[in-house]
Amino acid sequence: MGKVTGFMEYERIEEGYKPVPERLKNYKEFVIGLDDQAANTQAARCMDCGTPFCNNGCPVNNIIPDFNDLVYHGDWKEAIDVLHSTNNFPEFTGRICPAPCEAACTLNVNQLAVGIKSIEHAIIDRAWENGWVKPQPAKIKTGKKIAVVGSGPAGLAASQQLARAGHDVTLFEKNDRVGGLLRYGIPDFKMEKSHIDRRVEQLKAEGVTIRTSVLVGEMPKGSKVTNWAKETISAEQLKKDFDAVLLTGGSEQSRDLPVPGRDLDGIHFAMEFLPQQNKINAGDKLKGQLRADGKHVIVIGGGDTGSDCVGTSNRHGAVSVTQFEVMPQPPVEENRPMTWPYWPMKLRTSSSHDEGCQREFAISTKEFIGEKGKVTGLKTVHIEFKDGKMVEIAGTEKEYKADLVLLAMGFVNPVATVLEAFGVDKDARGNAKASTDFTGGYATNVSKVFAAGDMRRGQSLVVWAIREGRQAARAIDEFLMGFSDLPR
C-alpha cells in the first residue's frame, strides 16, 4: 500500500467544476480533473484492505488497490496497464460511471470513500496525453468471422477483445456514427465524443471493420427513436456470412406515460430530445430541432436521463426547468452501517441540478392540458406509499405551466425488431434470454447467436455493458476455438 496512515491524514479531494455561468455557454466538458499532487494524496487514502470490497463493487472488477498504489508512487504507465487489464474504456467510466466501487470502499463505512473514479479519470487522461494507449492487433489470425450488432460500450468492448484474440470482427451500427447511447444518449458536456472517436480509430487499427448506417432487421413502424440507417441487412444473411453473431443493441424503448392529453404537441421522449443536440454539436444540420429556448420545461423522471434533459434545457435557455420524481425524496445521507458495501439509496444532486432546477418528489402526473393541440401545462397530485401501493394525497392537486414536457422515466427493452428477426427468445421484460454462466455463457436459443449488454440485461450502466461485452467475447472465443485466453 502507498501510505499506511494516509486514510487518517488526508481528506477526500473532489474534482472541480468550472463556474455555472461559464459552462452553460457551451456543451464542453467542465470537470477539472485531479493534478498529480491531488491524485497522489487521494491514492494515499487507500488502505489496501485485506478484503477490498471495491473490487467486487465494480462490475468490471477493476484492481483498484493496485492502481491506487501505483499512482501514489508515480508509476502512471504501470497504472494504466493495470486499469486496462479489466476495463477497455476507462475514459468512459471515469466520466459517467456513478462509481459503485466508492460505495463499496471500506473507508466509506464511517468516512468519505477514496475518490476511485477521479483517480481512474486521471490515469486514463495521462495515458492518452503520453501516447501510452496504442493499438494491439493480433499476431495470429484465426480465420473466424464474427458480427457484432450494436456499437455501444458492450459492442465496442466485445469487438476489441475478439479482434485481439485474432478473429475478423465486423461491427454494425444503425446510426450514422459509432457509440450507441454513448454517442446519442449522453450529452457532450458529460462526455465529449472525441473520446469515442479515438477508440474507434484504435479498433480499426486492431482490425475491426465498422459499418455504420446499417440496420439489422427492421425498425418497428411508427417508432420515434431517432435512426439514420441507410441500409438494411437480414438476420439470415448475418448468420450465413459469419461464424458467430453477438447482439449488443441498447435498451431504447422509452417508458411512456399514458394519461389524458398524451397526444398533445410538445410532449416528447428524452431520446427524441437529447440525440438531436448531440447531432448539432457534431456539426450536422437538423430541421425543426426540439429546443427549450424561452420555454417552461417539465422533465418527468428523476434519474440520470432526466438530469441530462435538465442540463441540456438550461443550455438552450429555458425559462424554467422542473423535474418530477414519483418516488419520495430519499435521505441526504445514507445509513452506512445498514447499506455498506451495497449501492445506497440517498439524495443525489447532479451538476445539472446545480445549474438550475426545481425538483419535486412523490408527485404523479394525472393529465396533460393544452390549447389548440399544444401542451400548456399538466395536472399533478402528490402521492404516498401505503401497504406497498401508491396512493394519492387528497388536497395536493396542482397545475404546472409547461411548454415542453420531456419523458425520462427509463427504458423497458430494446426497441428494434432484431430479436424477432433472429428468432431469439425473450425474457419477461422483452430482453434477449441468455444465461451468463460459464457453460454456454451469453448464448441465446439460436445457434451461434449471442447477446450481451442492455440487449440481454435491460437498461443498465456503461460499466455493466463493458463487463458483459468482455465476458461475451470470451464465451464466443471459447465457442469458436474450444478454449479462450481472454479474461472473463
Side-chain angles (χ1 to χ4, degrees), residues 83-114:
L83 184 50
H84 268 152
S85 71
T86 55
N87 186 351
N88 295 69
F89 314 117
E91 63 269 49
F92 302 165
T93 52
R95 284 169 167 80
I96 59 178
C97 184
C101 56
E102 294 186 14
C105 174
T106 301
L107 196 56
N108 196 48
V109 172
N110 58 5
Q111 296 185 41
L112 294 178
V114 174

Side-chain angles (χ1 to χ4, degrees), residues 197-274:
D197 295 337
R198 59 188 179 187
R199 284 296 185 179
V200 169
E201 293 306 311
Q202 183 189 32
L203 262 65
K204 289 179 179 177
E206 292 174 346
V208 177
T209 300
I210 296 176
R211 294 181 60 185
T212 56
S213 298
V214 178
L215 178 65
V216 176
E218 296 180 358
M219 185 67 70
K221 292 182 179 179
S223 173
K224 293 184 178 181
V225 173
T226 307
N227 173 53
W228 295 279
K230 297 178 181 178
E231 178 185 351
T232 301
I233 188 169
S234 70
E236 290 303 318
Q237 190 66 46
L238 283 190
K239 288 191 289 184
K240 177 182 176 182
D241 293 345
F242 294 89
D243 298 297
V245 179
L246 175 60
L247 308 178
T248 60
S251 184
E252 296 178 297
Q253 181 61 58
S254 302
R255 183 173 284 107
D256 209 343
L257 186 59
V259 299
R262 172 63 180 88
D263 58 345
L264 291 167
D265 287 342
I267 304 170
H268 301 274
F269 290 121
M271 285 305 295
E272 295 176 73
F273 177 69
L274 295 173

Side-chain angles (χ1 to χ4, degrees), residues 276-484:
Q276 291 190 4
Q277 186 57 57
N278 286 3
K279 290 278 288 182
I280 295 295
N281 294 344
D284 295 348
K285 303 294 184 182
L286 292 181
K287 292 183 179 179
Q289 180 194 1
L290 291 176
R291 292 193 60 87
D293 314 59
K295 295 179 180 179
H296 296 278
V297 179
I298 301 288
V299 178
I300 301 179
D304 289 340
T305 303
S307 174
D308 294 343
C309 290
V310 170
T312 302
S313 296
N314 280 324
R315 280 162 179 75
H316 281 183
V319 173
S320 68
V321 182
T322 305
Q323 185 177 23
F324 289 173
E325 168 56 61
V326 71
M327 299 300 291
Q329 180 172 329
V332 175
E333 288 290 336
E334 72 271 35
N335 186 337
R336 293 178 181 176
M338 288 288 291
T339 60
W340 180 87
Y342 302 107
W343 186 248
M345 179 65 70
K346 68 176 183 178
L347 181 65
R348 302 179 191 278
T349 300
S350 73
S351 57
S352 292
H353 294 141
D354 290 336
E355 292 165 359
C357 175
Q358 177 184 343
R359 304 171 74 183
E360 296 288 345
F361 293 89
I363 191 170
S364 176
T365 301
K366 293 177 65 67
E367 180 184 355
F368 296 110
I369 54 179
E371 296 178 2
K372 299 180 180 180
K374 184 169 179 58
V375 69
T376 58
L378 42 77
K379 296 181 180 179
T380 66
V381 64
H382 279 282
I383 55 101
E384 60 182 345
F385 287 84
K386 288 185 177 180
D387 300 324
K389 296 181 179 180
M390 190 172 68
V391 180
E392 295 182 2
I393 301 175
T396 62
E397 295 82 2
K398 184 177 178 180
E399 289 191 11
Y400 284 82
K401 181 176 176 57
D403 306 303
L404 175 64
V405 178
L406 300 172
L407 306 180
M409 301 175 294
F411 305 90
V412 292
N413 49 254
V415 68
T417 54
V418 64
L419 297 182
E420 288 86 351
F422 281 95
V424 170
D425 287 345
K426 301 178 186 178
D427 63 17
R429 297 181 299 159
N431 303 313
K433 191 175 183 180
S435 171
T436 60
D437 58 24
F438 282 91
T439 57
Y442 296 92
T444 69
N445 61 297
V446 180
S447 176
K448 73 179 187 181
V449 177
F450 298 75
D454 286 7
M455 183 71 77
R456 190 203 69 81
R457 67 179 288 116
Q459 176 190 1
S460 192
L461 305 175
V462 167
V463 68
W464 272 106
I466 294 173
R467 171 198 173 103
E468 295 220 344
R470 288 171 61 89
Q471 292 191 347
R474 178 186 169 89
I476 292 171
D477 188 36
E478 196 166 20
F479 166 75
L480 294 174
M481 308 304 294
F483 69 96
S484 180

Side-chain angles (χ1 to χ4, degrees), residues 124-191:
I124 184 59
D125 280 6
R126 280 156 181 75
W128 279 109
E129 290 168 5
N130 287 282
W132 298 332
V133 183
K134 299 180 181 298
Q136 300 176 36
K139 295 180 180 179
I140 300 174
K141 302 293 285 186
T142 66
K144 301 292 185 179
K145 298 168 62 179
I146 303 166
V148 178
V149 181
S151 70
L156 290 172
S159 296
Q160 185 164 70
Q161 294 295 97
L162 289 166
R164 290 176 176 178
H167 304 302
D168 293 322
V169 180
T170 301
L171 179 60
F172 294 89
E173 169 57 51
K174 72 178 187 297
N175 292 325
D176 56 349
R177 295 181 179 90
V178 170
L181 292 175
L182 276 174
R183 171 80 64 177
Y184 288 123
I186 296 172
D188 287 19
F189 56 80
K190 288 181 66 175
M191 192 187 83

